[in-house]
Amino acid sequence: SLSQLANLEVLNLSGNQLIGFADLVEAMSGLERLRSLILDGNPCAMQLSPERLRELQNPQPKPGSTPAQTISSILQGAMADLGATMGFGSAASTLGGGLGSLGGGSLGSGGLGSGLG
C-alpha cells in the first residue's frame, strides 16, 4: 500500500489503466512528502486539462500548503468538476476504479524508481 511509502516524493503512474480519482486521493493521503504526480497515459488523465496535468507534475503550493496538499486539492477539484459536468452530486461515486489495477507504474523518490508489482 502507498501509505507505507511515507517518504515518497515522486509518484509516476504513467501508462496504467487508472480511470478515477477517488481511490487515488484516498491512497495518497499518507504521502505527505509527495511533490509530483504523473498520470500521463491513463484514462483519467484524458479527463484533465493539460494545465492540470502540468500542475500535478509540478505543483505550485499555495501559502501554508505543501506540494502534497496542493496535489490532493487539484485531484479533488477535478472530481468536483467532473461530477458537475456529468450531472452527478459526487464524482467519487461515479469515477470508481483505480489503484487495484496498477501494473506497469513506477514509484520514485528523488528521481530513483522501482517497479510496482
Side-chain angles (χ1 to χ4, degrees):
S1 129
L2 291 178
S3 62
Q4 296 174 337
L5 304 171
N7 292 322
L8 187 70
E9 294 180 355
V10 176
L11 180 56
N12 184 345
L13 297 174
S14 298
N16 285 281
Q17 295 300 312
L18 300 176
I19 58 171
F21 301 109
D23 291 339
L24 186 56
V25 169
E26 183 178 334
M28 290 177 18
S29 65
L31 303 179
E32 295 180 11
R33 291 186 174 198
L34 189 68
R35 59 179 173 77
S36 181
L37 175 63
I38 304 165
L39 295 174
D40 298 331
N42 286 288
C44 66
M46 291 195 267
Q47 300 170 15
L48 298 174
S49 68
E51 295 80 21
R52 279 221 169 141
L53 285 173
R54 281 191 296 275
E55 283 182 87
L56 289 171
Q57 290 183 22
N58 187 23
Q60 301 301 313
K62 313 260 187 293
S65 294
T66 66
Q69 291 168 330
T70 300
I71 289 170
S72 181
S73 177
I74 292 167
L75 290 175
Q76 290 173 354
M79 288 178 9
D81 291 348
L82 290 170
T85 300
M86 298 169 77
F88 297 104
S90 171
S93 64
T94 63
L95 295 175
L99 296 179
S101 61
L102 288 179
S106 61
L107 302 176
S109 178
L112 301 176
S114 62
L116 268 178

